[in-house]
Amino acid sequence: MLALLARVTWVQTVHGEALADDSDNRRNAIEEYGQPFGNIVVAGKPVTGSTRAHEGDLAYKRTYTQGPVYAPVTGFASQVRGWTQLEGIYQDVLTGTDDRLKDPLDALTGHQGKPGNVLTTIDPAVQKAGYEALGDKKGAAVAIDPSNGEILGMVSTPSFDPSKISGSGSSDADVWKKLSEDEDQPTLNRAMRQPVPPGSTFKLVVAAAALEDGLYSSVDEKTDSPDPYTLKGTSTVMKNENPSAPCENATLRDALRYSCNNVFAKLATDLGKEKVRAQAEKFGFNDSKQDVPVRAAESSYPKKMDEAQTGLSGIGQYEVTATPLQMAMVTQAIAHGGELVAPHMVSQVQDSGGSTLQDLSDPSSRRVMSEGAARQLRSAMKTVVDEGTGTNAKIPGVDVGGKTGTAQHGVDNSGTPYAWFTSYGENSSGKQVAVAVMVEDSDAARAEVSGNGLAAPIAKRMMEKALD
């Protein structure tokens, strides 16, 4: 008896807290799901809700308004499969278990407080426009306000309805099984969790490096760029998409306008991998801790390359990868005079009464290039839309600049190429938006896949809504 009493006392005093917090302790889940959850809010309206669960011992389950539209933002909260994205990051706030939500009585009794809410920066018009424009294509899009880093839209398709997997019933299990086995990976957030070759959109990074380094002082200065250009140490000739384009010794403006591979492959080689990587990292490449606050997958610019591989990296190939979020950040910094404001999609975390628990509306910023270089690149990007490869992004009454890209996909480029478009728009009142779109797969024939044909119209619709 004494031994048993000693053992119970030891468990309660020494291991009590660890046992209470153990993930296998069912009481924790019962408590979390014992009351309606707090909400994730878009433009003052919740896009989440709660309903009584009819199966199991958990009282409530999560519901979603326009679930497939907002799934890349909210993630999901499931009685069986846990919590992801904003649902996961702010789980304690949304369930009321965060200590900041407890009043003195809750602290004394050990009860959880009333759930709080998470206010996002998402613009519902921009989000919906991107989702509808992507339609049945496999791809993603991100829109950011360059002035404050607010993410106005984060879209990924195909998507899914988190409401259908939030419970513990057999129907939820069936839906989850189908989602898990779907080759198109609808639960993958392609906007920030799938880095792919950025193709010619990466030429903006190389152009920025050339201007910052002083290799060329102006986007209208002729470059030393033979056409064709043979990669250093190889017999591989860089071909341009348009053989008749005036790419020999083209200026940076014309090289962006016609997307001249010879110019940017040689630029990257002349600059060297260290200088290009330094500029890429200023924009956010090779950052393994890019939180918005959901952690984005790392966009990569390789460290070990020979001169030929460095040349390929200059056109966004070899082992260069980027998420749509990352390419939106590149354009965001160019639009904002060379200053990159940390992108984020949560503005405030509040308690049930609307008092602020955490204010995230004043993010950090850093200078990634000079204001003069950014101004020149904006001008060159505008030429791309006005007269070059990005004409499908034109918006009447709005200054639009952009860069198209088509990137290889699959072994020996056997897959349908990725179609990219990254852009900025600025209306007459000075309001700006930066957008990046990647279309991974579509019904278009391989020869018809292009950033201008597939991705630019999507960016246009999102920019129109952001600047309306």
Side-chain angles (χ1 to χ4, degrees), residues 124-148:
V126 176
Q127 184 77 10
K128 185 179 179 182
Y131 180 77
E132 291 180 347
L134 273 164
D136 58 1
K137 303 178 187 69
K138 189 192 300 183
V142 176
I144 305 175
D145 184 332
S147 67
N148 54 27

Side-chain angles (χ1 to χ4, degrees), residues 310-388:
T310 301
L312 285 174
S313 77
I315 62 170
Q317 295 288 174
Y318 185 52
E319 294 179 353
V320 181
T321 62
T323 61
L325 170 65
Q326 176 60 74
M327 293 315 302
M329 290 168 61
V330 171
T331 312
Q332 170 196 355
I334 293 171
H336 194 47
E339 185 179 12
L340 179 64
V341 183
H344 59 285
M345 59 179 173
V346 172
S347 58
Q348 282 191 356
V349 180
Q350 297 181 343
D351 64 18
S352 61
S355 297
T356 301
L357 299 176
Q358 187 178 9
D359 191 334
L360 304 166
S361 59
D362 186 21
S364 61
S365 63
R366 63 179 185 269
R367 179 155 293 282
V368 302
M369 62 190 303
S370 68
E371 190 171 349
R375 182 171 57 252
Q376 291 202 58
L377 276 182
R378 284 198 304 275
S379 173
M381 290 172 70
K382 189 172 184 301
T383 301
V384 171
V385 173
D386 288 346
E387 308 169 19

Side-chain angles (χ1 to χ4, degrees), residues 19 33 38 86 110 115 128 166 179 222 261 275 277-278 281 291 321 325 331 342 356 359 375 419 423 445 452 465:
L19 289 169
Y33 288 85
L86 292 186
K128 185 179 179 182
S166 64
L179 290 172
K222 288 279 188 180
N261 290 334
K275 290 180 179 179
R277 184 171 66 250
E281 289 179 349
D291 299 333
T321 62
L325 170 65
T331 312
T356 301
D359 191 334
R375 182 171 57 252
S423 59
N452 190 44
K465 292 300 181 183

Side-chain angles (χ1 to χ4, degrees), residues 38 218 234 258 291 346 396 424 426:
S218 164
T234 75
Y258 295 106
D291 299 333
V346 172
Y424 73 87
E426 182 174 348

Side-chain angles (χ1 to χ4, degrees), residues 55 61 78-81 162-181:
E55 299 173 276
K61 68 175 184 177
S78 167
Q79 293 179 343
V80 176
R81 290 154 199 93
S163 295
K164 294 183 178 180
I165 59 170
S166 64
S168 56
S170 59
S171 62
D172 298 80
D174 290 342
V175 172
W176 178 254
K177 186 173 185 294
K178 290 179 182 178
L179 290 172
S180 302
E181 295 174 351

